[in-house]
Amino acid sequence: MYRTHTNGELRLEHIGQEVTLSGWVQKVRDKGFMVWVDLRDRYGITQLIFDEERTPESVMESAKKLGREFVIQVKGKVIERQSKNPKIPTGDIEILVEELTLLNDAKTPPFTIEDETDGGDELRMKYRYLDIRRNPVKNNLIFRHKVALEVRKYLSDEGFIEVETPYLIKSTPEGARDFVVPSRMNEGQFYALPQSPQTFKQLLMVGGMDKYFQIVKCFRDEDLRADRQPEFTQIDCEMAFVEQEDILNAFEGLTKHLLKEIKGVEVADFPRMTYGEAMKKYGNDKPDIRFGMEFGELNKVAQHKDFGIFNNAELVVGIAVPQGNKFTRKEIDKLTDWVKRPQVGAKGMVYVRCNEDGTYKSSVDKFYDQEDLAKWAEATNAQKGDLICVLSGDVNETRTQLSALRMELAERLGLRKSNEFAPLWVVDFPLLEWDEETQRYHAMHHPFTSPKVEDIAKLDTNPAEVKANAYDLVLNGNEIGGGSIRIYDKATQALMFDHLGFTPEEAKAQFGFLMNAFEFGAPPHGGIAFGLDRLVAILGGQETIRDFIAFPKNNAGRDVMIDAPSPIDEEQLKELNLNITVK
Ligand code: ASP
């Protein structure tokens, strides 16, 4: 038997017991006549003591040769520690070692296996198995397990059935490129890895499963903006005979359950906001509502003077930064530079200081008097001591820029508190989105999303105005889930494909199986998918999903540990009937 106890288990009550422990050597302290070793495993650290007077000589000698990360087994007696360590649960005891077995030695690790490590990102990824020995990573993985388990428990109790769907499929249109897999048995043909189980879960509804969920990997070949992974995990769900309201209620329930079980936080019913409102108030379809700083539109109160920049702008819009008047001139100049960076793209920033005495001082005093500025303050809900930041220009661009500034300022002012949770539903998304590059409409969610019935007529006249029965769950400024009520009749689905620019033949080739299924009694249905990685990261009070994935890929989509992707050999290529021409 390798061990009678783990390294996180022994307490004063075990004193006198003979125990066997196994684990990794965290640290050796050799005082000559005495050697202390910190022995680590997943459960904790236990101190071993080797004492010249009480430990057999050969054991003592072996102890002195131990190095970091050696794997050992010891037998010994639990004794009370002279100097106790209140910082660890096993700090009251130590093991007086009688036998020591070296199970495996270890090269010196390339970075320290401590909570605070000296290893850079790339190095830690290369030796991820060592990184996982560190508490922060290990604890994140355990945390993820707990969240996934709670999801399964809650959904099962609510009558959902977990069903696996295939990974080797045909393209699913979630807006990214597919990863493809060549088929050896079907020469010249390819599978696509699912961007989500979307079509399969809809087919499960046609199959009568009624309430489905799956914790499932999804694969999307897209440019990896910060903190995205080419393979990620969804909590994927679908329900039959439901309306939007049923889905929102079911998954609000799940989210509340998770917040309560995992964080001990009880939240009120989630507020709802339309997409239009979110864009107007926050310039963002996933607003962080933990703090105020709502947009105040200033067109009416700023476009009547000789300030050409504002007069020519489609939108003049500002936010009040709480206590922002304390910013120095230099700090404000820096903020201006920040919004002018190409990543944000504003042309400039106008500001108004709201003084404690009720007066205003602005960067455009030449054009606006105190009365004007008081109206700006009213529109942005600015208080004495605040700073109003104003941007102007094209509606969509300006909103996006001000949203970026709002988030940046909130971050700097410490308003994005990781222990506060502010969920909300964003509803009534547009059905279609114009794509400049391809000069045509794309489905904003996906092509199976049902338009709002009252808007269907507008599909021909004003497609951009058609709203969808689509919704997102937003938590602390992150989209953690999104879904929709689906189209479930062949005619509407065909109409939708037509508006998305598919010829009937193309639609049939790609989605014929779904259209066929709709002819065999498809029930009304809808669903949602949560991004598990992101949800876990936010619940864990962090924002990088990588830290919650055992073996993540880097920004170039590479697994630097196993060195993938990599070329395959000639033989394999031949078998697959593939010719590679690398330019
Ligand atoms: N398949 C969708 C997605 O991955 C979610 C859904 O509509 O249920 O975003």
Side-chain angles (χ1 to χ4, degrees):
M1 189 156 66
Y2 279 109
R3 54 184 174 189
T4 54
H5 296 82
T6 69
N7 292 319
E9 211 176 332
L10 297 170
R11 304 283 186 276
L12 282 175
E13 74 215 49
H14 297 98
I15 282 178
Q17 286 188 18
E18 289 291 331
V19 297
T20 307
L21 300 180
S22 293
W24 287 265
V25 173
Q26 168 91 19
K27 200 158 64 184
V28 182
R29 265 169 305 141
D30 185 350
K31 293 273 177 202
F33 56 96
M34 268 196 213
V35 177
W36 286 274
V37 170
D38 280 352
L39 189 65
R40 172 186 13 91
D41 62 13
R42 187 184 115 193
Y43 310 91
I45 286 182
T46 298
Q47 178 164 291
L48 313 177
I49 176 166
F50 301 78
D51 171 1
E52 218 171 48
E53 288 183 3
R54 295 177 285 175
T55 304
E57 205 181 308
S58 63
V59 175
M60 194 75 195
E61 254 163 48
S62 313
K64 286 174 181 281
K65 291 194 202 120
L66 292 176
R68 270 164 60 200
E69 302 307 313
F70 280 29
V71 189
I72 61 171
Q73 181 196 40
V74 292
K75 287 201 170 103
K77 189 186 272 171
V78 184
I79 59 172
E80 185 167 358
R81 231 156 115 166
Q82 296 286 306
S83 53
K84 301 195 166 52
N85 179 356
K87 284 198 202 120
I88 57 171
T90 61
D92 288 343
I93 57 98
E94 59 192 349
I95 310 300
L96 179 61
V97 178
E98 289 144 15
E99 281 176 41
L100 167 67
T101 312
L102 181 64
L103 300 174
N104 216 339
D105 58 9
K107 289 211 280 193
T108 308
F111 51 86
T112 52
I113 316 280
E114 305 271 353
D115 291 6
E116 295 288 332
T117 178
D118 53 358
D121 258 10
E122 201 71 12
L123 195 63
R124 292 197 293 110
M125 290 306 146
K126 179 148 187 218
Y127 298 92
R128 186 64 163 174
Y129 44 88
L130 295 180
D131 205 24
I132 293 172
R133 289 186 194 164
R134 297 172 52 241
N135 284 320
V137 185
K138 175 195 77 186
N139 290 339
N140 284 353
L141 295 182
I142 296 173
F143 184 75
R144 180 183 178 116
H145 161 75
K146 281 193 192 142
V147 176
L149 189 62
E150 282 307 326
V151 169
R152 289 201 160 97
K153 277 205 279 194
Y154 182 86
L155 291 176
S156 300
D157 287 349
E158 293 291 314
F160 286 82
I161 304 291
E162 183 158 22
V163 183
E164 288 174 73
T165 51
Y167 281 161
L168 295 175
I169 65 164
K170 226 171 148 103
S171 178
T172 41
E174 299 281 1
R177 288 192 188 85
D178 291 321
F179 282 103
V180 294
V181 181
S183 164
R184 179 185 57 81
M185 287 190 287
N186 303 274
E187 209 174 280
Q189 298 191 342
F190 295 79
Y191 301 99
L193 299 180
Q195 292 186 38
S196 86
Q198 185 60 39
T199 48
F200 285 94
K201 66 176 174 175
Q202 292 192 240
L203 293 170
L204 285 171
M205 294 306 108
V206 181
M209 283 311 290
D210 198 67
K211 284 173 154 186
Y212 141 94
F213 87 101
Q214 183 181 190
I215 295 188
V216 61
K217 274 288 175 78
C218 300
F219 307 86
R220 296 184 190 177
D221 185 2
E222 55 194 342
D223 293 335
L224 300 176
R225 276 184 269 138
D227 209 29
R228 288 239 186 147
Q229 289 281 313
E231 55 176 302
F232 60 96
T233 307
Q234 279 188 347
I235 309 166
D236 190 46
C237 309
E238 196 77 6
M239 301 166 86
F241 302 111
V242 285
E243 290 169 342
Q244 173 162 315
E245 199 55 34
D246 301 303
I247 304 223
L248 299 196
N249 287 333
F251 291 92
E252 185 162 325
L254 170 66
T255 312
K256 282 181 177 168
H257 174 81
L258 293 177
L259 283 168
K260 181 146 169 257
E261 290 303 315
I262 306 286
K263 303 302 290 183
V265 173
E266 302 225 20
V267 285
D269 290 347
F270 299 0
R272 303 208 180 153
M273 199 181 285
T274 64
Y275 170 85
E277 202 182 338
M279 295 310 287
K280 198 173 158 74
K281 279 193 183 160
Y282 300 97
N284 199 320
D285 61 3
K286 41 179 194 301
D288 190 339
I289 55 165
R290 279 173 297 182
F291 52 94
M293 286 162 82
E294 281 180 24
F295 288 14
E297 295 195 353
L298 304 177
N299 289 36
K300 274 204 198 110
V301 291
Q303 287 186 320
H304 62 295
K305 291 282 167 76
D306 293 336
F307 190 45
I309 296 182
F310 280 2
N311 290 345
N312 296 328
E314 228 185 320
L315 178 70
V316 184
V317 57
I319 45 170
V321 185
Q323 296 302 310
N325 193 21
K326 65 172 188 275
F327 291 167
T328 61
R329 175 64 202 266
K330 219 168 161 189
E331 282 169 329
I332 297 177
D333 285 347
K334 276 211 182 123
L335 267 188
T336 310
D337 290 342
W338 190 88
V339 294
K340 282 161 84 178
R341 296 177 327 149
Q343 296 93 314
V344 183
K347 296 216 176 60
M349 184 181 91
V350 165
Y351 68 85
V352 185
R353 289 181 176 282
C354 305
N355 296 322
E356 290 299 339
D357 63 5
T359 62
Y360 302 99
K361 175 90 196 78
S362 82
S363 55
V364 284
D365 278 351
K366 227 165 72 186
F367 303 103
Y368 300 96
D369 57 26
Q370 292 291 308
E371 213 174 295
D372 292 324
L373 299 176
K375 287 186 190 146
W376 297 21
E378 193 185 80
T380 55
N381 198 18
Q383 312 297 316
K384 289 174 184 168
D386 289 357
L387 178 80
I388 307 174
C389 298
V390 184
L391 301 182
S392 64
D394 165 87
V395 175
N396 294 334
E397 279 173 15
T398 309
R399 283 180 174 163
T400 308
Q401 293 158 359
L402 193 62
S403 168
L405 178 64
R406 177 178 177 270
M407 294 300 272
E408 174 69 17
L409 282 164
E411 194 70 53
R412 289 192 200 177
L413 296 170
L415 302 175
R416 304 193 68 201
K417 300 198 181 83
S418 62
N419 56 355
E420 245 175 61
F421 295 93
L424 83 148
W425 290 106
V426 177
V427 297
D428 295 355
F429 275 83
L431 181 73
L432 303 167
E433 189 174 35
W434 181 253
D435 186 60
E436 274 304 324
E437 212 172 289
T438 49
Q439 288 290 304
R440 61 185 181 87
Y441 281 105
H442 281 252
M444 189 146 179
H445 189 51
H446 52 53
F448 316 113
T449 295
S450 129
K452 288 204 180 281
V453 186
E454 63 272 23
D455 285 357
I456 291 188
K458 278 195 255 170
L459 265 177
D460 288 319
T461 51
N462 202 347
E465 295 235 312
V466 178
K467 301 246 172 2
N469 285 317
Y471 34 81
D472 275 358
L473 180 61
V474 175
L475 182 58
N476 295 358
N478 294 280
E479 177 202 325
I480 58 160
S484 61
I485 296 298
R486 326 297 184 191
I487 295 167
Y488 67 100
D489 67 287
K490 194 175 171 181
T492 314
Q493 190 63 70
L495 182 75
M496 186 68 185
F497 284 137
D498 181 37
H499 276 88
L500 293 172
F502 287 86
T503 64
E505 294 70 35
E506 283 167 345
K508 186 157 178 249
Q510 228 183 320
F511 303 111
F513 62 96
L514 188 71
M515 310 272 270
N516 288 342
F518 283 173
E519 293 189 300
F520 288 95
H525 60 286
I528 193 166
F530 282 20
L532 180 68
D533 310 278
R534 175 96 38 218
L535 176 63
V536 170
I538 298 172
L539 291 175
Q542 294 171 34
E543 289 204 353
T544 12
I545 64 171
R546 257 219 233 176
D547 298 343
F548 290 84
I549 297 173
F551 299 107
K553 302 201 167 33
N554 73 7
N555 287 345
R558 292 202 75 80
D559 182 322
V560 292
M561 178 182 67
I562 60 173
D563 191 24
S566 53
I568 57 176
D569 60 37
E570 264 317 306
E571 212 32 49
Q572 219 175 343
L573 281 175
K574 229 200 267 152
E575 244 174 27
L576 293 168
N577 246 300
L578 290 179
N579 265 321
I580 305 281
T581 20
V582 181
K583 285 184 211 116

